[in-house]
Amino acid sequence: MTGHANWFEIPADDTARARAFYAGVFGWETSLMGEDYHVITNGAAGAIAPRDAGHTQPRIYFHTTDIDASVRKVAELGGKSDDVMTVPGTGRIAHCTDDQGTPFSLYEPQS
């Protein structure tokens, strides 16, 4: 369904420490994907990822069936979007901010 939250990422300076914390709180287990990106395997659809200058707070991804149209709509309504990126074998994403500067991301699954 377009607009529902379907993925999230929690940034951490120390992903091992964050994984231990969330395992203790929620019982989450993770699987390594890439160098230091840890997908939650037994809970909510999301991941624990390294914190960097562009990813300092939790990031929520919203589903869309047409990311290009959604990015255009974001701009029309006063928001901003980075370029749409393809994630091989997964789909397409775009990191955005709304018209008040609140960050969010869009996700179009691979068909």
Side-chain angles (χ1 to χ4, degrees), residues 8-24 28-40 46-52 55:
F8 70 92
E9 294 169 338
I10 297 174
D13 291 324
D14 181 338
T15 58
R17 187 170 150 196
R19 291 189 332 269
F21 176 85
Y22 289 103
W28 287 351
E29 297 172 3
T30 60
S31 176
L32 182 63
M33 178 181 181
E35 189 173 321
D36 193 22
Y37 189 85
H38 305 271
V39 175
I40 298 162
I48 297 170
R51 183 185 324 269
D52 63 29
H55 188 197

Side-chain angles (χ1 to χ4, degrees), residues 42-111:
N42 67 332
I48 297 170
R51 183 185 324 269
D52 63 29
H55 188 197
T56 61
Q57 299 178 28
R59 179 180 289 150
I60 299 173
Y61 289 77
F62 295 99
H63 178 272
T64 179
T65 57
D66 184 344
I67 199 165
D68 298 309
S70 295
V71 164
R72 284 192 300 276
K73 185 57 84 172
V74 165
E76 287 173 20
L77 296 172
K80 296 183 178 162
S81 172
D82 291 348
D83 291 337
V84 174
M85 297 177 285
T86 299
V87 179
T90 301
R92 299 169 69 210
I93 63 172
H95 301 307
C96 305
T97 55
D98 68 16
D99 63 340
Q100 297 182 62
T102 304
F104 69 97
S105 295
L106 298 169
Y107 168 65
E108 177 189 277
Q110 181 174 312
S111 3

